[in-house]
Amino acid sequence: MNQATIGYRVFQAFLVAFLVGLGTFIMVRVLPGDLAYRIAAGRYGYDLVDSVAAEAVRLELGLDGSPILAFLSWFWDLIRFDLGYSLVTGELVRDAIFHELGHSVDLAATALILSLFIGPPLGLLAGFRPGSIIDRLVLASSVVFRSIPHFAIGLVLIMIFSIQAGLLPVAGHGHPLSRVLPALTLALGLAAVSSRIARDAMIKVRESDYYLFGRTKGLSESQVFFRHGLRNVSVPIITYLGMQFVYLIEGVVVVETLFAWPGIGHSLVHAIVARDIPMIQGTAFVMGLMFVFLNALVDFLNRLVDPRERVV
Amino acid sequence: MKKQGTGNSKAVSVYRTRMIGSGLLFFLIAFGMVGPFLVSGDPGRQNLSAILSTPGKEYLLGTDHLGRDMLLRLTAAIRVSVAIALITTATASLIGVSLGILAATRGGLAERCTSLLADTFLALPGLLLVLLLVAIAPGSFWPLYLGIAMILWVEQFRMTRALVQPLATSPAVQATRLLGFGPWYVFRRHFWPELQANVLTLSAFGAATAILSVAALGFISVGIRPPTPELGQMMIELLPYYQEAPLIFLQPILILFLLVLSLNLIAGGKIR
């Protein structure tokens, strides 16, 4: 990975902090009522707020000063990970998020690995015989699964596996099998895209000169695939992983809410409903940072698989 | 259309999927428009003596858990989804194409500023950005509109900039400029014919994204507020009644799927 790409990702992380900070700052400013009273109520509880406490908060946070200065101090707190306390539970936001992030990463990683076992193999199979029945089936199911939003896939899976067959837990967390449905929901959507990418890449590689030469010089189909095909096919699949992370992070928000999975997306939605601004800020910030981090990881993996220096 | 594929048969198949998609979309919109003429009434009207009734004579598509007519609710929900998709993609295309042409023809500071703006909106996954805006003013329409338009314009911008950049310095455009034609003429004669097909494809994808985002927000109860019928919100409302009325429960899912499918087909079945 060269310095320019690392620099770009760091810059992107900075932009995430800026967007999240600006959004939550506006959120605080447009709240009805006196801001100092509201923050004091959040800190000390509604019964203990009086004008003295509100005045202390006002002085401490400089709420009468210019909005630009206030935003800068808000932003400074954010990039130091000083995220404050949840207005609902009173818990330190940093601790709550640290706890939830573990569950989300667990779910997302399971989904991603599962999707890599479903999507690319099917795509390669289709790419080996373009135009065949398998190819058409894979193509059609890819189009169908891309058109069903993750939550609808989840609903249908719940209907089939939990309510009808009674095989798997419907929602929640704790049972060893409870991760199966949410992870499968996300994985099917991801696999719909990666199977298509793998298919197109496989066709392109099979048409290439080096692949034909490998066959001509007498290598068997499997030899030429593992020596010359696999690595070249994986480059576009890894590149598109970066785009799939958008789907994964958006999916985590919705799918966690549907399956009551105690992760960071679930907590973001709850915070929005409860107007818990420190939690909104913290969860959105951490999810944005995860997105940037995963993209940096894709840059790195691409270098590893394809060492040729790219001209961008 | 021929430009899309390498061979003639590929172009024909792309053309065919587009036609199927357009037909499906036309049918769905027509369903949404005609609905209120088939059955008159208020989609919020409850008939508590006929809750979760199966499709039949009185209620063509049955009723939901509050005895509201599903036909009226579904058609209203289609109108909401399609209207939001339409105005957000129109806004996004207008802004994306204009800024893209600005960046490609002016270069320099204009390009750097617009690219920075695009990078800013790419830094967060789209739904997260919409959620942040929705959290500022929950339940109202403008954050939804603004947020979706903000995530859709970036693709249009990048596509336009990439396509117009080589055109802007081409001899044909130089000659047109030297002959004294204005920027509007250059846009219409030189830029738009090149952009047209791509703007359409990206708009179809964008409309699908918009419809999915609205439904996702409705599904997690932070989007369009009841009693306005909306597909995602209808799904989550009907979820508890799945076993009693599976036919009712599946209706919004089917409509949402068909809407997104038709738009994906119009986009040519390509991966963005």
Side-chain angles (χ1 to χ4, degrees):
Chain A
M1 215 164 31
N2 55 12
Q3 274 177 330
T5 44
I6 299 179
Y8 180 73
R9 295 299 174 201
V10 170
F11 172 65
Q12 217 184 1
F14 182 78
L15 286 179
V16 166
F18 177 76
L19 275 181
V20 173
L22 189 64
T24 46
F25 182 73
I26 295 173
M27 243 175 261
V28 171
R29 290 272 150 167
V30 299
L31 278 182
D34 189 280
L35 190 57
Y37 274 90
R38 291 198 58 110
I39 294 178
R43 278 188 187 174
Y44 312 121
Y46 278 96
D47 295 339
L48 298 171
V49 180
D50 50 19
S51 51
V52 182
E55 212 47 52
V57 168
R58 198 189 307 277
L59 273 178
E60 185 195 327
L61 298 177
L63 292 177
D64 284 332
S66 88
I68 295 173
L69 276 180
F71 175 66
L72 285 180
S73 94
W74 181 267
F75 189 64
W76 177 238
D77 282 345
L78 178 61
I79 54 177
R80 282 181 306 143
F81 271 99
D82 186 354
L83 300 169
Y85 295 87
S86 160
L87 297 181
V88 173
T89 60
E91 207 182 342
L92 206 58
V93 170
R94 204 179 349 185
D95 293 348
I97 288 180
F98 183 71
H99 184 69
E100 288 155 359
L101 188 64
H103 292 307
S104 288
V105 168
D106 175 358
L107 177 63
T110 315
L112 193 64
I113 293 170
L114 204 58
S115 86
L116 288 178
F117 274 107
I118 303 172
L122 280 179
L124 294 183
L125 212 61
F128 264 110
R129 305 245 179 291
S132 67
I133 295 191
I134 293 182
D135 184 29
R136 276 155 194 270
L137 274 179
V138 169
L139 196 66
S141 49
S142 152
V143 170
V144 167
F145 275 106
R146 249 177 336 122
S147 303
I148 311 181
H150 8 60
F151 47 92
I153 299 180
L155 284 178
V156 174
L157 286 181
I158 289 181
M159 273 166 53
I160 297 173
F161 286 104
S162 301
I163 305 182
Q164 290 290 42
L167 290 176
L168 295 166
V170 175
H173 173 263
H175 194 277
L177 286 177
S178 55
R179 82 188 57 204
V180 174
L181 281 187
L184 191 62
T185 303
L186 285 170
L188 284 177
L190 291 170
V193 176
S194 59
S195 68
R196 188 71 199 280
I197 306 290
R199 171 194 178 265
D200 292 352
M202 191 65 229
I203 291 177
K204 213 173 139 197
V205 165
R206 275 172 59 88
E207 282 169 355
S208 68
D209 292 339
Y210 57 81
Y211 206 84
L212 274 177
F213 181 68
R215 289 290 287 148
T216 318
K217 76 181 178 192
L219 294 179
S220 74
E221 189 75 62
S222 67
Q223 271 173 323
V224 75
F225 173 72
F226 283 109
R227 296 292 301 172
H228 301 284
L230 195 57
R231 206 177 171 107
N232 284 302
V233 166
S234 39
V235 174
I237 297 178
I238 292 173
T239 307
Y240 269 91
L241 271 184
M243 255 175 44
Q244 293 202 286
F245 290 140
V246 175
Y247 183 92
L248 195 61
I249 287 185
E250 292 182 356
V252 156
V253 175
V254 178
V255 169
E256 282 183 353
T257 309
L258 172 61
F259 286 99
W261 185 264
I264 198 165
H266 186 241
S267 151
L268 172 64
V269 172
H270 268 245
I272 289 177
V273 172
R275 319 261 314 121
D276 185 351
I277 294 173
M279 272 313 267
I280 297 178
Q281 168 169 278
T283 45
F285 184 45
V286 170
M287 287 176 87
L289 285 185
M290 278 305 288
F291 178 58
V292 174
F293 170 74
L294 289 172
N295 273 310
L297 201 67
V298 166
D299 292 343
F300 174 70
L301 276 179
N302 250 339
R303 287 279 143 187
L304 212 64
V305 177
D306 181 10
R308 290 171 297 183
E309 198 63 38
R310 295 264 182 78
V311 189
V312 181
Chain B
M1 292 298 168
K2 287 226 172 92
K3 234 174 231 154
Q4 292 293 324
T6 41
N8 208 17
S9 71
K10 202 168 175 184
V12 168
S13 92
V14 166
Y15 182 72
R16 208 173 48 196
T17 42
R18 276 204 171 156
M19 281 298 116
I20 297 174
S22 313
L24 191 57
L25 184 63
F26 177 79
F27 172 76
L28 285 165
I29 292 177
F31 175 59
M33 293 293 166
V34 168
F37 297 105
L38 279 179
V39 195
S40 58
D42 176 7
R45 223 194 96 149
Q46 304 180 0
N47 178 1
L48 292 176
S49 57
I51 57 168
L52 295 172
S53 58
T54 44
K57 245 196 183 112
E58 195 184 352
Y59 297 102
L60 284 175
L61 292 177
T63 53
D64 70 357
H65 57 294
L66 294 172
R68 295 174 292 191
D69 190 344
M70 281 304 280
L71 179 66
L72 282 174
R73 284 177 66 72
L74 280 178
T75 51
I78 291 177
R79 289 197 298 273
V80 167
S81 289
V82 171
I84 293 180
L86 210 64
I87 55 169
T88 47
T89 39
T91 312
S93 309
L94 194 69
I95 295 175
V97 170
S98 325
L99 288 185
I101 289 176
L102 184 79
T105 51
R106 290 289 152 82
L109 192 64
E111 177 169 18
R112 244 175 291 161
C113 287
T114 45
S115 300
L116 179 67
L117 203 62
D119 280 344
T120 310
F121 288 117
L122 281 184
L124 275 181
L127 194 66
L128 222 51
L129 201 66
V130 181
L131 273 175
L132 266 182
L133 274 176
V134 166
I136 294 178
S140 55
F141 164 75
W142 67 264
L144 210 62
Y145 162 68
L146 211 65
I148 296 174
M150 257 159 58
I151 57 178
L152 294 184
W153 75 275
V154 180
E155 289 290 313
Q156 301 271 14
F157 164 77
R158 285 152 65 100
M159 178 275 298
T160 309
R161 188 183 54 179
L163 281 183
V164 169
Q165 226 150 27
L167 279 179
T169 49
S170 70
V173 170
Q174 301 268 331
T176 314
R177 285 237 168 85
L178 285 174
L179 284 169
F181 288 107
W184 175 244
Y185 183 86
V186 173
F187 170 73
R188 242 184 36 210
R189 290 294 295 186
H190 294 283
F191 296 161
W192 183 243
E194 287 292 315
L195 294 174
Q196 219 174 0
N198 289 292
V199 169
L200 175 77
T201 306
L202 286 183
S203 295
F205 271 137
T209 308
I211 288 176
L212 284 178
S213 307
V214 171
L217 292 179
F219 189 79
I220 54 181
S221 324
V222 293
I224 290 174
R225 290 272 162 103
T228 310
E230 193 279 318
L231 292 169
Q233 163 216 317
M234 286 166 79
M235 283 180 212
I236 203 70
E237 277 180 10
L238 288 168
L239 178 61
Y241 309 101
Y242 148 71
Q243 270 180 314
E244 291 153 75
L247 278 179
I248 307 291
F249 170 67
L250 284 174
Q251 284 173 24
I253 298 184
L254 184 70
I255 294 283
L256 183 65
F257 165 63
L258 289 178
L259 268 176
V260 177
L261 179 69
S262 70
L263 287 164
N264 278 345
L265 290 178
I266 291 175
K270 276 193 294 191
I271 311 256
R272 47 186 86 190

